[in-house]
Amino acid sequence: MTAITSTAYSRDLGDELRRLREKHTRLTGFGFAEQLGWDPSKVSNIENGKARASEIDLVQYLMTCGRDSNYFEAFRARYRYAFDPYVVLVSDNLRTVALAEATAKKITSFDGLTMPGLIQTPEYARALFTEGGNVAPEDIEKYVQLRTDRQAIMNRPARPECLFYVHELALRIRVGDDAVMEEQYLRLLFHTHILRIIPMSAGAAIATRSARTLFSFEKHTPLAYSETDVAQVFAHDGKAIANSREFFKWLEALALDEGQSRSLLANYVSGLREDSHDRRADLA
């Protein structure tokens, strides 16, 4: 077992092992180490994603948890990439990013097309999943609830420091009906202390940039994260981190400040209400 810098994915898989131990053996980490003849620190380091377990370590660990050879093979196929500086996962993986959000000290993100997931209303998220067409209808409520559950970190006394950059285009793209959009605008107004809007006047260059997030942790290497409907990319590579930091410095110069962002959002709320009033007048 070689100790190396942990990654978001190694911590996720380590936590998965911990949950297996607790569910299937009822043993503490110390008792489990004793059962295997390991030093307790070895169990701790593997479960915290701080050290790579060898294949023999994984066999012993999983078999002690009552898992069979098929389970081992499936887990090993994922674990082999756990400590890579770049990890690409299927787009419906939620555990790794949720764990990163829950353990981050600071979260800085940019999205050009949709509202930040951590401050989306349930109605906006539901309309987004429904209209997006990439979530089965029977799974929509599950995904809405998962997104809502992830937002619990925003209510913690020691929540991560957050800064969300949102392109004005995301405000213009209609998701759901006017009521959904108004409620979402009001949610953003409540969070303007952590929100910076990139105005349309910033030009086309920013509109072509992909959504991304930079996570900073108290004791771990920073993480650059990007997601599409095809895959999620987790990057701990120094170049990716430096590039993301420069990107957000660039955004800082383009973005409206808190007061300007609030005024722009208020204009969008007013615009919706004026449109609604005009439609009622037409019907009369």
Side-chain angles (χ1 to χ4, degrees):
M1 183 178 65
T2 304
I4 61 174
T5 302
S6 70
T7 69
Y9 197 38
S10 73
R11 294 191 291 274
D12 178 17
L13 293 183
D15 186 64
E16 185 176 329
L17 290 173
R18 176 190 60 77
R19 289 184 297 111
L20 281 173
R21 166 178 61 79
E22 292 176 346
K23 179 179 180 180
H24 295 289
T25 73
R26 307 293 182 181
L27 293 170
T28 64
F30 185 88
F32 194 73
E34 189 175 55
Q35 182 92 354
L36 287 168
W38 293 359
D39 187 282
S41 64
K42 181 172 179 176
V43 173
S44 176
N45 286 335
I46 290 174
E47 292 182 348
N48 285 293
K50 293 181 178 179
R52 182 190 292 274
S54 68
E55 288 196 8
I56 292 176
D57 291 335
L58 285 179
V59 168
Q60 293 177 345
Y61 192 108
L62 293 172
M63 297 306 164
T64 303
C65 291
R67 305 301 87 193
D68 61 19
S69 59
N70 290 331
Y71 192 100
F72 164 74
E73 293 295 342
F75 189 87
R76 181 178 64 170
R78 292 184 291 143
Y79 193 78
R80 63 185 295 188
Y81 303 110
F83 291 84
D84 289 359
Y86 286 89
V87 175
V88 179
L89 302 177
V90 294
S91 59
D92 63 351
N93 169 62
L94 297 175
R95 272 186 45 86
T96 306
V97 68
L99 187 60
E101 290 169 345
T103 56
K105 183 178 180 181
K106 183 176 182 180
I107 301 173
T108 308
S109 76
F110 163 74
D111 201 316
L113 299 176
T114 62
M115 310 300 183
L118 287 175
I119 49 177
Q120 286 180 6
T121 66
E123 292 74 16
Y124 181 92
R126 183 176 294 107
L128 197 62
F129 288 131
T130 301
E131 296 171 13
N134 59 340
V135 174
E138 62 271 19
D139 291 333
I140 288 175
E141 290 307 315
K142 178 186 73 173
Y143 278 96
V144 170
Q145 187 60 52
L146 288 169
R147 180 153 297 183
T148 301
D149 291 345
R150 284 167 56 189
Q151 294 175 358
I153 67 166
M154 302 297 291
N155 300 320
R156 295 186 324 204
R159 68 169 178 79
E161 177 186 346
C162 295
L163 179 55
F164 303 115
Y165 290 98
V166 180
H167 197 282
E168 187 179 354
L169 185 60
L171 304 181
R172 294 189 175 191
I173 294 177
R174 182 187 176 95
V175 177
D177 58 20
D178 285 354
V180 170
M181 292 304 295
E182 181 175 0
E183 185 178 10
Q184 183 60 63
Y185 291 150
L186 293 174
R187 170 76 67 90
L188 296 179
L189 273 168
F190 182 73
H191 287 285
T192 48
H193 62 293
I194 57 174
L195 180 72
R196 298 293 180 272
I197 296 174
I198 312 296
M200 297 295 291
S201 59
I206 185 61
T208 64
R209 304 299 292 269
S210 62
R212 72 176 71 186
T213 302
L214 181 62
F215 295 96
S216 298
F217 305 95
E218 186 172 352
K219 297 181 180 180
H220 303 304
T221 304
L223 166 67
Y225 171 76
S226 185
E227 178 180 357
T228 70
D229 57 355
V230 175
Q232 298 171 321
V233 179
F234 297 83
H236 291 274
D237 177 70
K239 186 175 181 180
I241 301 303
N243 177 274
S244 293
R245 285 173 173 160
E246 288 301 314
F247 174 74
F248 285 116
K249 283 183 182 179
W250 180 54
L251 284 189
E252 186 178 9
L254 295 174
L256 302 178
D257 63 24
E258 178 184 342
Q260 293 167 329
S261 297
R262 177 177 288 273
S263 295
L264 184 60
L265 281 165
N267 288 340
Y268 274 91
V269 173
S270 298
L272 277 178
R273 291 175 178 175
E274 288 172 4
D275 289 345
S276 177
H277 176 76
D278 290 343
R279 285 195 294 273
R280 287 195 296 270
D282 290 342
L283 288 173

